[in-house]
């Protein structure tokens, strides 16, 4: 088994960009992506803030274009799961669900997943009324009442998407103020069928085999209120996909810490995109991270070979 110059872990905007840049620099690349290329872009309805598409672009369309950019490039694509990274710069061994893979450098672009609320019944009712993806599951709730929980860009964006499908939408947020972009807040207030349930948290879920309703609690007064909803969409932030990273890697709040050149605390391992500790998690910044990580990995490889 040969050794790749770089193993890119992830096939979202960061991983796709890193792989593309590395191959164009003449590096041999193996790329791991357990699902289809595109990452979270695939589960986004439309993007209005990706430069070059002033009228917006559907998530699946952009994901297709990203994937098409890799067509014809010599990238070894693997769908196996990366379970661990051992060794050191120049001779990393990735333990995967299909055996070990050797690489001189690694770019971790494994992204982040939706954080659960962590309340009783959430795991049992997942896929039975509780969802983390409006574009995937919204249609099941056509003409029915649902609730969305969260106050960030994801929650408001997904609430706006859902409001066009469902009969009534309760937007539950634990504070009085949203952290989402003003443009989404304005649209949410203007949507005819969105009721804001502020300073409130989801207290309990009802239903054994399917969600039959929820109880919310006003965090200021302690008052409880039952909401008769068939669906609950949870968007309370993201948790990084870092289960496989070496225990010695420097993380903050679970996210990988890098310098400006995407270098992690372990020489030869770089990180890019939503898995990284940073201020701005956008498709455009993920792609930018991927380009920087690729360039930094390329320079590192040159030094290794010198
Ligand atoms: P986020 O920005 O971290 O927001 C999470 C929201 O969930 C916050 O409003 C937070 O409340 C609330 N929350 C957290 N834990 C909670 C709990 N246990 N119970 C109830 N509420 C809870 O996460 P996100 O919206 O998923 O976005 C993640 C990143 O992707 C952000 O950087 C975001 O800007 C970016 N993003 C951008 C776009 C876009 O530009 N169009 C779209 C989607 C996502 P508090 O406000 O009180 O903390």
């Amino acid at each position: 088994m040969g050794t790749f110059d770089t193993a890119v872990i992830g096939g979202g905007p960061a991983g796709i960009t890193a792989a593309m840049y590395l191959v164009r620099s003449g590096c041999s690349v193996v790329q791991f992506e357990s699902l289809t290329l595109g990452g979270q872009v695939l589960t986004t309805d439309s993007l209005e803030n990706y430069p070059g598409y002033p009228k917006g672009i559907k998530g699946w369309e952009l994901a297709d274009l990203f994937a098409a950019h890799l067509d014809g490039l010599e990238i070894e694509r693997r769908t196996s799961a990366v379970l661990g990274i051992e060794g050191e710069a120049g001779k990393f061994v990735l333990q995967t669900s299909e055996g070990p893979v050797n690489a001189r450098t690694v770019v971790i672009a494994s992204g982040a997943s939706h954080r659960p609320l962590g309340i009783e019944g959430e795991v049992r009712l997942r896929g039975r009324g509780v969802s983390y993806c409006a574009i995937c599951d919204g249609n099941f709730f056509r003409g029915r009442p649902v609730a969305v929980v969260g106050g960030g860009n994801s929650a408001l964006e997904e609430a706006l998407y859902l409001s066009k499908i469902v009969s009534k939408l309760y937007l539950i947020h634990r504070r009085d103020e949203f952290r989402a972009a003003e443009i989404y807040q304005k649209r949410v207030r203007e949507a005819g069928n969105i009721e804001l349930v502020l300073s409130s948290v989801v207290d309990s879920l009802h239903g054994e085999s399917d969600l039959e309703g929820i109880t919310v609690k006003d965090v200021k007064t302690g008052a409880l209120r039952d909401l008769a909803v068939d669906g609950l969409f949870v968007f309370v932030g993201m948790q990084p996909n870092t289960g496989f990273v070496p225990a010695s890697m420097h993380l903050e709040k679970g996210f990988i810490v890098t310098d400006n050149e995407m270098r992690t605390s372990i020489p030869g391992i770089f990180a890019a995109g939503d898995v990284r500790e940073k201020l701005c998690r956008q498709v455009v910044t993920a792609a930018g991270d991927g380009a920087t990580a690729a360039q930094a990995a390329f320079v590192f490889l040159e030094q290794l070979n010198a």
Side-chain angles (χ1 to χ4, degrees), residues 17 46 116 155 222 239 253 302:
T17 309
S46 70
Q239 54 192 19
K253 293 181 232 140
E302 283 200 314

Side-chain angles (χ1 to χ4, degrees), residues 255-274:
F255 291 86
I256 299 175
V257 175
T258 71
D259 65 9
N260 287 343
E261 262 116 57
M262 310 300 139
R263 291 184 284 228
T264 70
S265 61
I266 300 179
I269 304 186
F270 305 82
D274 279 9

Side-chain angles (χ1 to χ4, degrees), residues 49 151-154 157 173-175 179 184 236-237 281-282:
N49 53 5
N153 280 325
S154 297
E157 209 177 62
H173 179 39
R174 64 183 179 184
R175 289 188 296 134
R179 65 171 65 222
Y184 295 132
V236 295
R281 294 198 171 84
Q282 300 281 315

Side-chain angles (χ1 to χ4, degrees), residues 213-236:
I214 63 174
T215 300
V216 290
K217 182 165 138 190
D218 186 312
V219 292
K220 289 181 180 162
T221 65
L224 296 175
R225 177 183 172 195
D226 288 336
L227 299 178
V229 292
D230 296 337
L232 175 69
F233 289 80
V234 180
F235 301 108
V236 295

